């Protein structure tokens, strides 16, 4: 089947596209005597003047703005002592403007000009935040930054992210694929903006129902820049974040790097009641990682190099290294009833673990002709985690006794290669097509020593997965007001796993699938747009979820991986109506094999198992409303989503299904030229989806940010003010009745100080991740 991948790619489509070209507006601003205006604010609005697209500061009479072309904008220039200047610009090529300002008739004794730009904007259902805004620039970690995007949720263990109604998004850095570990290791100081795409095109991987586009700052020509930031954070325990970011460029060559040291006193807790009537087992437990002696140390670093060959051709290298060590104790208080035997068991589990991650990618980009561009790249990634555990139980107050010792290790190596072509078919047309290969090999080794009845159990698990893919993607114009995007992706996936002690493989699976995507966008007039989207996508489980590594919870419950996890297949159709800067989206999707964490009973082992498990199907309807607003010193972003989810599985007891509401709001007030106050919150109403019943939540945040000159920023933040970030759920699956909650250490008071020195212009750094499965490594 693989030999047909290239042929199908090249024959899949015919059509035309519109390239999303960016153009520059270069301006020279003078007074009536032709002398340069020293300082002014330069703002660029959309055609309706409802939405501020970008802005900059005029310095010694010169400014430069870079934005998407083939659009109409309104340019506005404001300078103290001069009349405001405004003009309409139609951007179909680079523009060079000469503007002369008229002096005002009245001389003002004192004027304070405060330009307020909403840092959260929406377009065609997509949401974008401007990270350079002081409110966001002082946040120490990228994961905390993502919570400012409507609909984005961070998992309680902070090991994954999801989007309401969309699942786990793909992550792209400068239009180039990265994984969760790379995102976690980024310096916030290097990020320019983050955009959430709700309907990504076929050029993105088939697993992308939603895509996070992260754009870094590219403002370097020569010179050096360095920033340093420290954050003191008080949650239940004290946390300290230290981050530095630097870059240097000369004669086209660029080098950049970042280093962050985090010392965290983490806290976790969960509680569950389990009733297993079939085995006559009842368990009620509370798990607590109490602190303050639970210590997590993180080192996040990265290095990037860029070597230009010509204006567009280059060779680049980028690497990310994350090192983490955890030393912590877990205290579990359990009431256990097996038949007529009742016990109170206090468990002290001491753990030492490490999580080390490295990825490096080498890129080569070459223009083969004026209209044909070639990109090729290779990438290697390695992920290693260890977990050493001693388990002591105190049964009915008889004293602690060491009962088990466990040593576990998981190693993953991933290799990838890809080739992409960009073919321009005319001034405004382009075809994208390419192929890629990825292979992942993993090993999981576990040695359990049972000291009560002396016995040693050893599991040596091996996993191998190959992915071969090809794609073609088109954008086109059916008429002056109707655009379309269409594409298809062909993927061949092969999975094999085995135990060293068994001669027969545990899993052998091989599939070939097509994933089409299409979008039609109609411009009804200059301020109204209607789009219709269809996509078929796949979500494959993370490699670290498909192994034999396990964690002790209490004597009748283990947390484990699931070697039988299947990919999720989703078909989705949606439509978005955009009016000025406001939008409403209606959509429906159906998923086969949706996955969720559940507790099921293993009759052979005689214990309950907590793991990620496939259910049979999910059907969902949603309506999402985006309502940004700006007035004077006040900017507001509000998102409201009404959702109806229905989950079904033959092993579950099906119950009531009711719609639920998600709401997000962010209110910012620029109370002075250098001071901004924000208030925000997000909420979820009670949810029932046929299997799971989950609680309502209301999470509120606030912050105060003040800048001192050009180089110093100070921020005071309050997160989860009411300590409502707790995830409760109730369900019955496989004869196990479960009712519990995960408590998140979300309430925080944090003080950040950021200092920047140096300056640069016109960056060219480019580097792509070539591994299609890189987000599955963690």
């Amino acid at each position: 089947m693989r030999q047909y991948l290239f042929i199908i790619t090249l024959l899949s489509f015919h059509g035309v596209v519109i390239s999303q070209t960016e153009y520059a507006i270069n301006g020279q601003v003078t007074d009536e005597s032709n002398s340069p205006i020293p300082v002014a604010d330069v703002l660029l609005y959309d055609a309706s003047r409802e939405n501020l697209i970008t802005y900059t500061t005029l310095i010694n009479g010169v400014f430069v703005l870079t934005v998407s072309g083939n659009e109409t904008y309104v340019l506005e220039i404001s300078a103290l002592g001069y009349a405001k200047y405004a003009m309409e610009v139609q951007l179909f090529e680079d523009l060079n403007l000469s503007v002369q300002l008229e002096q005002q008739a009245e001389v003002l004794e004192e004027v304070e000009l405060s330009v307020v730009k909403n840092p959260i904007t929406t377009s065609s259902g997509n949401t974008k935040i401007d990270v350079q805004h002081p409110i966001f620039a002082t946040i120490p970690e990228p994961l905390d930054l993502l919570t400012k995007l409507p609909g984005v949720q961070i998992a309680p263990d902070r090991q994954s992210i999801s989007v309401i109604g969309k699942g786990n998004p793909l992550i792209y850095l400068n239009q180039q694929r990265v994984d969760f570990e790379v995102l976690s290791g980024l310096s916030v100081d290097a990020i320019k903006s983050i955009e959430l795409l709700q309907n990504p095109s076929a050029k993105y991987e088939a697993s992308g129902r939603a895509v996070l586009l992260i754009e870094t700052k590219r403002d370097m020509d020569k010179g050096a820049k360095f920033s340093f930031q420290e954050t003191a954070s008080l949650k239940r325990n004290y946390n300290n974040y230290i981050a530095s970011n630097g870059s240097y460029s000369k004669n086209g060559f660029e080098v950049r790097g970042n280093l962050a040291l985090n010392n965290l006193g983490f806290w976790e807790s969960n509680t569950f009641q389990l009733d297993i009537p079939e085995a006559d087992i009842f368990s009620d437990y509370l798990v607590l990682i109490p602190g303050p002696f639970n210590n997590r140390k993180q080192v996040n670093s990265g290095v990037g190099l860029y070597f230009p060959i010509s204006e567009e051709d280059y060779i680049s290298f980028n690497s990310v290294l994350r090192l983490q060590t955890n030393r912590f104790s877990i205290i579990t208080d359990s009431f256990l009833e097996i038949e007529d035997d009742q016990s109170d068991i206090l468990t002290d589990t001491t753990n030492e673990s490490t999580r080390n991650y490295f990825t490096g990618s080498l890129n080569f980009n070459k223009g083969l002709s004026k209209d044909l561009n070639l990109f090729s790249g290779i990438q290697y990634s390695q992920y290693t985690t260890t977990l050493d555990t001693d388990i002591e139980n105190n049964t009915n107050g008889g004293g602690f006794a060491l009962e088990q010792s466990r040593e576990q290790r998981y190693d993953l190596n991933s290799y990838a290669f890809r080739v992409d072509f960009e073919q321009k078919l005319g001034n405004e047309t382009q075809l994208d097509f390419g192929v890629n290969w990825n292979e992942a090999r993993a090993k999981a080794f576990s040695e359990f020593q049972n000291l009560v009845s002396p016995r040693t159990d050893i599991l040596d698990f091996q996993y191998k997965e190959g992915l071969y893919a090809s794609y073609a993607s088109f954008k086109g114009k059916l008429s002056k007001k109707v655009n379309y995007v269409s594409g298809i992706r062909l993927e061949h996936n092969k999975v094999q796993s085995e135990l060293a002690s068994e001669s027969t493989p545990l899993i052998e699976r091989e599939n070939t699938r097509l994933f089409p995507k299409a979008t039609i966008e109609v411009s009804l007039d200059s301020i109204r747009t209607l789009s219709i989207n269809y996509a078929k996508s796949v979500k494959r489980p993370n490699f670290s979820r498909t192994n034999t590594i396990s964690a002790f919870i209490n004597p009748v419950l283990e947390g484990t991986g699931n070697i039988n996890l299947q990919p999720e297949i989703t078909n989705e159709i949606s439509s978005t109506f955009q009016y000025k800067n406001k939008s409403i989206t209606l959509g429906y999707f159906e998923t086969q094999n949706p996955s969720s964490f559940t507790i099921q009973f293993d009759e052979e082992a005689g214990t309950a198992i907590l793991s990620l498990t496939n259910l049979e199907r999910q059907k969902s309807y949603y309506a999402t409303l985006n309502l940004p607003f700006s007035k004077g010193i006040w900017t507001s972003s509000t998102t409201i989503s009404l959702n109806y989810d229905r989950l079904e599985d033959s092993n579950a007891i099906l119950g009531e299904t009711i719609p639920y509401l998600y709401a997000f709001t962010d209110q910012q007030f620029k109370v002075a030229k250098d001071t901004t106050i924000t208030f925000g919150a997000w909420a979820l109403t009670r949810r029932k989806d046929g299997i799971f019943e989950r609680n309502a939540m209301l999470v509120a945040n606030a912050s105060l940010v003040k800048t001192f000159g050009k180089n110093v920023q100070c921020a005071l933040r309050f997160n989860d003010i009411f300590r409502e970030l707790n995830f409760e759920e109730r369900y019955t699956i496989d004869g196990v009745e479960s009712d519990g909650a995960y408590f998140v250490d979300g309430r925080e008071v944090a003080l950040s100080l950021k200092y920047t020195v140096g300056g640069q212009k016109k960056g060219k750094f480019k580097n792509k991740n070539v591994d299609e499965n890189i987000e599955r490594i963690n």
Side-chain angles (χ1 to χ4, degrees):
M1 177 60 69
R2 300 173 196 166
Q3 61 265 37
Y4 297 108
L5 297 179
F6 291 90
I7 298 175
I8 292 178
T9 298
L10 299 177
L11 298 180
S12 295
F13 284 99
H14 63 283
V16 295
V17 301
I18 295 177
S19 61
Q20 298 298 315
T21 307
E22 288 192 343
Y23 295 114
I25 303 176
N26 301 279
Q28 294 183 340
V29 184
T30 61
D31 59 17
E32 293 171 311
S33 62
N34 292 323
S35 298
I37 301 293
V39 178
D41 291 296
V42 183
L43 300 91
L44 192 68
Y45 293 90
D46 62 8
S48 65
R49 301 190 72 166
E50 292 280 337
N51 192 22
L52 181 62
I53 304 300
T54 186
Y55 64 95
T56 188
T57 301
L58 181 76
I59 299 177
N60 294 326
V62 177
F63 72 87
V64 178
L65 294 171
T66 302
V67 290
S68 298
N70 305 313
E71 297 286 348
T72 299
Y73 300 100
V74 174
L75 179 70
E76 186 176 286
I77 303 174
S78 299
L80 183 63
Y82 296 88
K84 183 181 294 184
Y85 177 88
M87 67 174 293
E88 184 178 277
V89 293
Q90 295 183 338
L91 200 59
F92 301 106
E93 59 182 358
D94 290 343
L95 291 181
N96 294 300
L97 303 176
S98 295
V99 176
Q100 190 174 82
L101 300 185
E102 296 181 4
Q103 192 169 3
Q104 287 181 326
E106 297 183 5
V107 177
L108 302 180
E109 293 183 1
E110 182 177 354
V111 174
E112 183 179 282
L113 180 62
S114 181
V115 178
V116 179
K117 176 190 175 184
N118 194 335
I120 305 177
T121 57
T122 61
S123 177
S124 299
N126 302 322
T127 307
K128 187 175 184 178
I129 62 173
D130 178 8
V131 182
Q132 297 179 95
H133 193 282
I135 289 295
F136 302 133
T138 51
I139 294 176
E141 283 199 307
L143 292 187
D144 295 324
L145 187 63
L146 291 179
T147 62
K148 306 304 180 182
L149 269 171
V152 174
Q153 301 279 289
I154 306 298
D157 61 1
R158 294 179 67 85
Q159 301 305 316
S160 64
I161 55 178
S162 63
V163 178
I164 296 290
K166 293 285 187 177
N168 302 111
L170 300 182
I171 305 168
Y172 276 76
L173 181 65
N174 296 327
Q175 297 290 329
Q176 303 151 14
R177 182 73 172 274
V178 298
D179 71 334
F180 180 83
E181 293 288 347
V182 172
L183 171 64
S184 302
L186 281 177
S187 167
V188 172
D189 184 65
I191 301 175
K192 177 181 179 182
S193 64
I194 300 178
E195 184 174 10
L196 175 62
L197 300 184
Q198 299 282 359
N199 297 288
S201 68
K203 76 176 182 178
Y204 300 106
E205 284 66 33
S207 54
R209 290 187 59 215
V211 170
L212 284 172
L213 294 181
I214 302 171
E215 183 181 355
T216 57
K217 299 175 183 178
R218 296 183 181 183
D219 55 357
M220 188 164 71
D221 183 35
K222 60 181 180 179
K225 185 177 182 180
F226 178 80
S227 67
F228 176 86
Q229 178 174 332
E230 183 168 7
T231 300
S233 164
L234 182 61
K235 294 185 178 181
R236 293 181 186 267
N237 300 315
Y238 175 74
N239 302 273
N240 183 256
Y241 304 83
I242 299 175
S244 60
N245 188 78
S247 54
Y248 173 77
S249 177
K250 184 177 182 180
N251 299 326
F253 168 76
E254 297 180 23
V255 59
R256 58 179 59 189
N258 65 277
L259 176 65
L261 304 174
N262 302 328
N263 195 352
L264 312 179
F266 66 100
W267 180 97
E268 295 178 10
S269 180
N270 68 81
T271 182
F272 263 89
Q273 287 185 354
L274 310 177
D275 192 1
I276 313 173
E278 182 180 309
D280 202 4
I281 296 175
F282 176 80
S283 174
D284 185 0
Y285 74 85
L286 172 67
V287 170
L288 179 63
I289 302 179
F293 303 108
N294 299 313
N295 188 260
R296 173 175 293 168
K297 294 182 181 295
Q298 295 175 335
V299 178
N300 301 330
S301 61
V303 174
L305 303 173
Y306 175 77
F307 303 89
I309 301 173
S310 64
E311 185 65 25
E312 298 296 332
D313 301 339
Y314 64 88
I315 298 174
S316 66
F317 172 78
N318 194 58
S319 65
V320 172
L321 175 65
R322 284 174 50 83
L323 305 175
Q324 177 175 303
T325 59
N326 301 300
R327 291 181 176 86
F328 58 97
S329 293
I330 302 176
I331 305 298
T332 306
D333 189 358
S334 305
F335 170 77
L336 182 61
E337 182 176 359
I338 302 177
E339 296 180 347
D340 296 327
D341 184 18
Q342 296 183 352
S343 303
D344 289 305
I345 303 174
L346 189 64
T347 303
D348 185 355
T349 307
T350 58
N351 299 271
E352 290 192 8
S353 70
T354 62
R355 292 181 58 190
N356 299 330
Y357 172 83
F358 170 80
T359 187
S361 60
L362 181 66
N363 291 180
F364 173 68
N365 193 84
K366 174 67 176 176
L368 301 179
S369 68
K370 180 181 178 181
D371 298 325
L372 180 62
N373 187 76
L374 163 70
F375 168 83
S376 63
I378 57 175
Q379 184 164 1
Y380 169 71
S381 303
Q382 183 184 57
Y383 176 72
T384 301
T385 181
T386 63
L387 177 61
D388 296 336
T389 305
D390 288 330
I391 302 167
E392 296 183 2
N393 285 320
N394 182 343
T395 303
N396 296 324
F400 281 99
L402 180 63
E403 295 187 359
Q404 283 191 47
S405 290
R406 301 181 175 187
E407 293 183 5
Q408 300 183 89
R409 180 182 177 93
Y410 176 75
D411 293 281
L412 174 70
N413 292 276
S414 180
Y415 310 85
F417 171 74
R418 71 179 300 149
V419 177
D420 295 320
F421 293 92
E422 296 178 358
Q423 175 69 63
K424 293 184 178 179
L425 305 176
N427 292 332
E428 296 181 339
T429 61
Q430 182 174 305
L431 162 68
D432 297 333
F433 61 97
V435 295
N436 60 271
W437 163 83
N438 169 249
E439 183 171 293
R441 296 174 179 265
K443 293 181 179 181
F445 180 84
S446 301
E447 180 178 337
F448 293 179
Q449 292 185 357
N450 192 325
L451 305 178
V452 177
S453 53
R455 186 181 75 252
T456 300
D457 296 321
I458 294 177
L459 285 176
D460 190 351
F461 174 80
Q462 298 184 13
Y463 180 94
K464 179 180 178 181
E465 179 173 346
L467 179 66
Y468 312 85
S470 61
Y471 75 93
S473 181
F474 295 83
K475 294 180 183 178
K477 198 162 191 178
L478 299 177
S479 67
K480 185 176 180 180
K481 292 189 175 182
V482 181
N483 300 332
Y484 76 89
V485 180
S486 62
I488 195 166
R489 188 176 186 86
L490 177 64
E491 294 190 351
H492 180 79
N493 182 244
K494 185 176 181 179
V495 177
Q496 182 175 342
S497 65
E498 60 186 13
L499 287 172
S501 59
E502 302 288 339
S503 58
T504 303
L506 297 174
I507 301 293
E508 280 190 308
R509 189 168 59 239
E510 193 167 357
N511 294 289
T512 301
R513 295 186 177 97
L514 286 172
F515 299 96
K517 293 188 178 183
T519 297
I520 294 178
E521 185 175 87
V522 181
S523 298
L524 304 177
D525 52 36
S526 61
I527 59 174
R528 293 182 298 173
T529 303
L530 176 66
S531 64
I532 300 174
N533 311 280
Y534 166 76
K536 182 179 180 180
S537 59
V538 61
K539 177 190 174 185
R540 296 186 174 91
N542 285 1
F543 298 118
S544 58
R545 298 294 184 189
T546 56
N547 61 50
T548 55
I549 300 296
S550 65
F552 181 90
I553 299 177
N554 80 357
V556 296
L557 181 62
E558 288 273 347
T560 72
N562 183 355
I563 64 174
N564 295 306
L565 274 177
Q566 297 272 354
E568 303 176 24
I569 306 296
T570 299
N571 284 278
E572 181 172 13
I573 186 169
S574 64
S575 179
T576 299
F577 175 73
Q578 179 93 20
Y579 176 73
K580 296 183 179 179
N581 62 345
K582 301 171 178 61
S583 67
I584 182 170
T585 299
L586 304 177
Y588 166 80
F589 67 87
E590 184 171 341
T591 301
Q592 298 176 353
N593 302 320
S595 61
S596 183
F597 279 97
T598 65
I599 298 175
Q600 302 189 45
F601 184 64
D602 185 337
E603 293 184 12
E604 183 178 348
T607 59
I609 302 297
L610 171 63
S611 65
L612 191 63
T613 307
N614 290 115
L615 305 174
E616 290 178 359
R617 67 182 60 86
Q618 178 182 3
K619 296 181 179 180
S620 299
Y621 302 85
Y622 59 91
T624 303
L625 185 65
N626 290 307
L627 299 170
F629 172 79
S630 296
K631 181 72 173 180
I633 66 170
W634 175 29
T635 66
S636 168
S637 296
T638 301
T639 296
I640 301 173
S641 180
L642 180 64
N643 303 266
Y644 178 90
D645 295 339
R646 176 71 177 178
L647 279 167
E648 298 177 357
D649 190 86
S650 58
N651 292 324
I653 293 181
L654 300 182
E656 184 182 8
T657 302
I658 61 173
Y660 68 90
L661 192 69
Y662 167 80
F664 170 94
T665 188
D666 182 79
Q667 312 294 324
Q668 300 192 18
F669 300 88
K670 192 169 185 179
V671 296
K673 185 177 181 181
D674 54 7
T675 306
T676 304
I677 297 175
T678 70
F679 302 95
W682 62 268
L684 279 167
T685 61
R686 189 181 181 190
R687 290 148 288 158
K688 292 183 178 181
D689 58 23
I691 295 180
F692 298 94
E693 180 180 344
R694 295 185 168 103
N695 63 306
M697 286 186 287
L698 173 61
V699 179
N701 310 296
S703 65
L704 170 65
V705 176
K706 183 175 178 60
T707 59
F708 300 89
K710 296 182 178 181
N711 298 329
V712 179
Q713 287 183 336
C714 185
L716 180 63
R717 297 192 311 280
F718 304 88
N719 294 322
D720 191 14
I721 296 172
F722 305 118
R723 190 165 281 170
E724 288 290 315
L725 198 56
N726 302 316
F727 296 82
E728 302 172 12
E729 62 182 21
R730 178 184 301 168
Y731 59 90
T732 301
I733 294 179
D734 195 30
V736 180
E737 300 174 13
S738 304
D739 186 358
Y742 300 92
F743 304 106
V744 179
D745 190 15
R747 180 186 282 183
E748 178 185 36
V749 178
L751 178 65
S752 297
L753 183 65
K754 179 179 179 181
Y755 182 70
T756 304
V757 295
Q760 305 159 324
K761 298 179 181 179
K762 298 180 182 178
K764 295 180 179 180
F765 188 90
K766 303 175 184 178
N767 185 270
K768 292 185 181 182
N769 274 293
V770 301
D771 190 339
E772 299 289 342
N773 284 306
I774 191 149
E775 88 287 349
R776 298 171 58 202
I777 291 177
N778 178 40

